[in-house]
Amino acid sequence: MAKRPTKISLTRARDEAKHCRACELWKHATQTVFGEGPRQAGLMLIGEQPGDAEDLSGHPFVGPAGQLLDRALAEAGIDRASVYLTNVVKHFKWEPRGKRRIHKKPRASEVGACRPWLDIEIGLVKPRVIVCLGATAAQALLGSSFKVTQHRGTVVPSPLDARVLATVHPSSILRAPDQDARRLEMARFIADLRAAARAL
């Protein structure tokens, strides 16, 4: 991680993170993708890492999974503008497949290298509720043995001051095998987001 500034703010942390070289992922990413949202958001959503669209734009959750998340938040009665959105890992990890850049799961060491930035975001925003989107985010915050499938949509014990819930990452809904499965998974995802809203 880059040298931690003495007086920290989200703006300062975002600027410092642009120069992070704590792991090798920066070498193949276009840019650091830091979290975005209100400084005092009650709800924080944490995903795994930026995708291709996020890497190119510099903003979290703007690609296909982000668009699905927008629809789910709206259905759950949550204003995206009121939510702080971020990822455990701030650089896009990918592998080439033809002309496309395909997401590759970050290693535990890469998650660990990026963790100080997430800790800064949580410490500054002080959300009342955190939703972990997917296993990587949930295990980063709740331990490597945590299973989203066993605890999704419910408040779980955590060392954080916030109430913490876990659910699937919206990209998993996009990968569902057919339209019926996608519809069912979307309904479950919306229900989990509603549970998070109630926890506020």
Side-chain angles (χ1 to χ4, degrees):
M1 181 172 154
K3 184 180 176 184
R4 186 169 177 163
T6 51
K7 187 175 181 184
I8 197 71
S9 68
L10 281 174
T11 301
R12 183 79 184 273
R14 186 176 288 110
D15 288 342
E16 292 288 327
K18 291 176 184 175
H19 311 290
C20 186
R21 304 291 184 264
C23 74
E24 299 291 305
L25 293 185
W26 67 273
K27 291 182 177 180
H28 303 288
T30 305
Q31 59 195 313
T32 303
V33 182
F34 207 74
E36 292 180 353
R39 164 68 174 76
Q40 295 179 319
L43 178 61
M44 179 181 282
L45 302 184
I46 303 173
E48 179 188 87
Q49 65 167 328
D52 183 69
E54 292 78 12
D55 176 65
L56 296 173
S57 71
H59 302 287
F61 291 96
V62 295
Q67 292 164 20
L68 186 146
L69 176 61
D70 286 349
R71 293 197 302 276
L73 286 169
E75 284 283 332
I78 300 168
D79 179 6
R80 175 173 168 144
S82 70
V83 176
Y84 190 90
L85 293 161
T86 193
N87 287 291
V88 172
V89 173
K90 311 301 187 195
H91 286 114
F92 179 35
K93 182 174 183 177
W94 57 278
E95 58 187 4
R97 192 169 301 166
K99 293 182 179 179
R100 298 175 62 209
R101 300 190 303 168
I102 303 299
H103 157 275
K104 191 172 181 184
K105 184 179 173 68
R107 295 194 309 264
S109 60
E110 292 158 346
V111 171
C114 233
R115 180 61 190 265
W117 297 118
L118 181 61
D119 288 340
I120 288 170
E121 290 175 297
I122 294 170
L124 289 173
V125 176
K126 295 182 174 60
R128 298 193 304 281
V129 175
I130 292 173
V131 177
C132 300
L133 300 173
T136 298
Q139 290 172 3
L141 268 66
L142 300 168
S144 60
S145 63
F146 185 85
K147 300 255 188 298
V148 173
T149 51
Q150 291 177 7
H151 303 285
R152 68 177 290 179
T154 60
V155 176
V156 293
S158 89
L160 303 169
D161 290 334
R163 306 182 84 191
V164 180
L165 296 86
T167 185
V168 296
H169 194 283
S171 63
S172 70
I173 300 170
L174 295 173
R175 295 193 302 271
D178 55 52
Q179 190 170 353
D180 287 343
R182 278 191 294 278
R183 192 180 297 115
L184 176 63
E185 283 306 311
M186 184 68 161
R188 293 186 70 198
F189 185 53
I190 291 165
D192 292 341
L193 293 176
R194 285 182 176 141
R198 289 193 299 272
L200 285 167

